Amino acid sequence: MSELIFKADIESPMKLEEFLRRNMQVSRRLLARCKYHGSIMRSGVHIRTLDTVFPGDEIILTCPDAGGKVQPNPSLDVPVIYRSEHLIVYNKPPFMPCHQSHGHYTDTLANAFAAEYPDLPFRCITRLDRNTSGVCIAALTPYGAGFMKDKIKKSYLAVAAGIIKSGGTVDKPVARKENSVMLRCVMDSGKPALTRYIPLFSNEKYTLVKLIPETGRTHQLRVHMAYIGHALAGDELYGEETPDISRHALHCGYAEFTEPGTGERVSLSVPMPEDMRRLVPGFDDE
């Protein structure tokens, strides 16, 4: 069982559900789990979600944990860059999937997570493609997962083919390509997608760009960069293979979010991997 304690730091009485959902940002799913499979208490007495909460009340939510079902693999070495009661943040290496899939049953971030938290489900909040490296956030509690939804600011570093002289915005909808399970494309009938790009450094072949996604569509950054004629180096799906790098050159270098447990703002950054640095040898980010 997981237990969450909230102090009603409010100026006037309000309904419990309103306090938990609006003020404490408890997800509807978590609240339902506590209500039907755990307990909601005030001063040792059960309280209903339609009951009134008063200033200074202490509310305790108890809910069952979902058991982990992923095989632990303690041999996987994935750096942890942040940890709290509710979150764990990794610097995910390239070539490591986040979740298990065909051909990847023991080499995923989920397997690394299970080695440390065998009784917890792997709640990956900011899933990265297998070949994308960098900041990857997972929740340790249901509250952390619900609290973090749509509250994370991220930026990426990418090495794009060609020379990009000025920044801009790609505001084009992205949809699944017809007759393909994996491929995405720009399509008028797709979901809204917006990417901001800022060139940082160029040589005669590549441009290092900072990419800021304002939406989170599958393959959005890769599709948008290919759409403007600057596919990512090594992106065999949306550009061309190259002997210069054995993956698409994309790295989540920065994330900013509010810590669920304390309300403090957290900023995390991880350096660009060596395989991407080799593409832009004159760049110095120190």
Side-chain angles (χ1 to χ4, degrees):
M1 287 283 187
S2 293
E3 186 178 272
L4 294 169
I5 301 175
F6 300 108
K7 192 76 170 180
D9 186 14
I10 54 180
E11 295 182 356
S12 58
M14 63 174 58
K15 297 297 184 183
L16 174 63
E17 183 169 6
E18 181 185 8
F19 166 69
L20 292 174
R21 295 278 291 120
R22 190 184 71 181
N23 290 43
M24 307 313 301
Q25 298 176 306
V26 173
S27 69
R28 193 180 304 278
R29 179 179 295 181
L30 174 57
L31 189 56
R33 285 179 59 196
C34 295
K35 182 177 179 180
Y36 297 112
H37 305 289
S39 65
I40 306 175
M41 310 282 286
R42 178 180 60 193
S43 302
V45 178
H46 284 277
I47 183 174
R48 301 170 301 172
T49 54
L50 55 78
D51 289 336
T52 301
V53 174
F54 298 91
D57 278 351
E58 185 177 78
I59 307 299
I60 301 177
L61 303 185
T62 304
C63 64
D65 291 318
K69 298 181 180 180
V70 178
Q71 179 181 342
N73 186 348
S75 68
L76 296 175
D77 182 20
V78 186
V80 174
I81 60 174
Y82 179 83
R83 191 194 307 265
S84 70
E85 176 187 357
H86 297 285
L87 303 174
I88 184 168
V89 185
Y90 297 97
N91 181 10
K92 189 186 83 66
F95 313 112
M96 173 180 281
C98 284
H99 296 281
Q100 293 176 303
S101 61
H102 179 68
H104 297 280
Y105 300 110
T106 62
D107 61 346
T108 72
L109 190 61
N111 298 114
F113 178 90
E116 189 167 4
Y117 300 101
D119 297 324
L120 296 182
F122 180 57
R123 305 179 183 92
C124 190
I125 299 172
T126 56
R127 188 185 69 83
L128 300 178
D129 291 339
R130 181 175 73 91
N131 287 347
T132 302
S133 56
V135 180
C136 191
I137 305 172
L140 298 176
T141 64
Y143 175 65
F147 181 94
M148 295 289 285
K149 186 178 180 181
D150 301 324
K151 294 185 178 67
I152 305 167
K153 294 182 180 180
K154 297 184 295 180
S155 66
Y156 291 73
L157 292 174
V159 180
I163 299 174
I164 303 174
K165 294 184 178 181
S166 60
T169 299
V170 185
D171 187 1
K172 293 291 182 179
V174 172
R176 189 190 302 272
K177 194 170 185 179
E178 188 176 0
N179 299 323
S180 176
V181 174
M182 181 181 299
L183 291 175
R184 266 63 176 176
C185 63
V186 167
M187 186 182 298
D188 290 341
S189 60
K191 295 181 179 179
L194 192 151
T195 302
R196 304 187 190 282
Y197 62 95
I198 304 169
L200 302 177
F201 177 85
S202 294
N203 55 31
E204 69 281 357
K205 191 173 184 180
Y206 297 117
T207 298
L208 177 67
V209 290
K210 179 179 180 179
L211 300 178
I212 305 171
E214 300 294 345
T215 52
R217 308 305 176 199
T218 299
H219 294 183
Q220 173 182 317
L221 302 180
R222 299 164 64 188
V223 169
H224 275 174
M225 291 306 293
Y227 177 79
I228 64 172
H230 295 282
L232 302 190
D235 193 342
E236 59 184 26
L237 289 182
Y238 303 107
E240 297 179 353
E241 291 186 68
T242 174
D244 296 339
I245 190 170
S246 57
R247 63 169 177 122
H248 56 252
L250 185 62
H251 173 73
C252 183
Y254 177 82
E256 182 181 335
F257 56 87
T258 299
E259 164 58 43
T262 65
E264 295 179 354
R265 200 66 182 164
V266 177
S267 298
L268 301 172
S269 61
V270 289
M272 188 167 58
E274 185 58 33
D275 62 346
M276 289 177 58
R277 286 182 178 276
R278 286 196 294 267
L279 301 177
V280 284
F283 176 70
D284 184 5
D285 59 353
E286 295 182 359

